[in-house]
Amino acid sequence: MAIITKLNNVLCVNISKIDNVLKSNAKFFDDNTFCPTPTPTPTTPVGTPTPTPTITLTQTPTLTRTLTPTPTLTQTVTPTPTSTTVCSPGCCAIELWYGRDCFAACGEQNFGLFFLSIPCNTDPCTLANATGIFVNASCTTKAENGSYTDGVDCYDWDGTSLTYNSFC
């Protein structure tokens, strides 16, 4: 059994607690005497009538805590593939007003039945979803260049692309 006089190179006199335990309540550490209070040793030297206390310290190895890492389990989520529904392009009938520009189209003078090509046959048949304006049910004969409206929004058609222009 050894005597511990310092812990992690800290002298006992500078230690007040260890792991929230007061030093005065920790008399032993790993079966070693921990930071003992020095006890004066009475000696009677020749010719001196008064005893003089002598403190004897024994050096012991310093204990060092070593932390061992604990593996952490990490849950890995593997995504489940979802089926992607592929839809066919559609061609739907709609009644629209039209003119050379949005002012004329929104004036609601010319009205007719047109066909809109839409990316997916389940999409609503609206100018906002359309990719083109046609005059036949198979969406193969392009409508004239100009502006087209459903009475709310006006779009410009140049025979290739359909572009939002303004609100009527």
Side-chain angles (χ1 to χ4, degrees), residues 6-7 10 21 27 31 41 48 54 56 61 68 70 80 84 87 91 117 119 128 137 147 149 153 158 161:
K6 59 183 178 176
L7 187 61
V10 177
V21 175
K27 300 290 182 193
D31 293 328
T41 306
T48 306
T54 305
T56 306
T68 305
T70 305
T80 305
T84 55
C87 63
C91 186
S117 63
S147 297
T149 182
D153 292 311
D158 65 5
S161 61

Side-chain angles (χ1 to χ4, degrees), residues 95-157:
E95 292 180 324
L96 299 172
W97 287 276
Y98 61 97
R100 69 183 183 294
D101 56 27
C102 282
F103 181 77
C106 292
E108 300 179 355
Q109 298 298 315
N110 300 314
F111 188 73
L113 179 66
F114 295 93
F115 298 89
L116 302 179
S117 63
I118 53 176
C120 183
N121 58 8
T122 59
D123 289 341
C125 189
T126 63
L127 282 168
N129 289 330
T131 58
I133 303 174
F134 299 86
V135 294
N136 64 337
S138 59
C139 286
T140 54
T141 305
K142 296 177 183 179
E144 290 182 30
N145 294 355
S147 297
Y148 293 81
T149 182
D150 55 7
V152 178
D153 292 311
C154 184
Y155 287 79
D156 294 325
W157 171 245

Side-chain angles (χ1 to χ4, degrees), residues 36-43 51-56:
T37 305
T39 309
T41 306
T43 57
T52 306
T54 305
I55 299 172
T56 306

Side-chain angles (χ1 to χ4, degrees), residues 1 6 8 14 32 45 53 57-58 62 82 92 144 154 157 162:
M1 198 155 103
K6 59 183 178 176
N8 292 336
N14 296 322
N32 294 301
L57 297 176
T58 306
T62 303
T82 56
C92 58
E144 290 182 30
C154 184
W157 171 245
L162 186 63

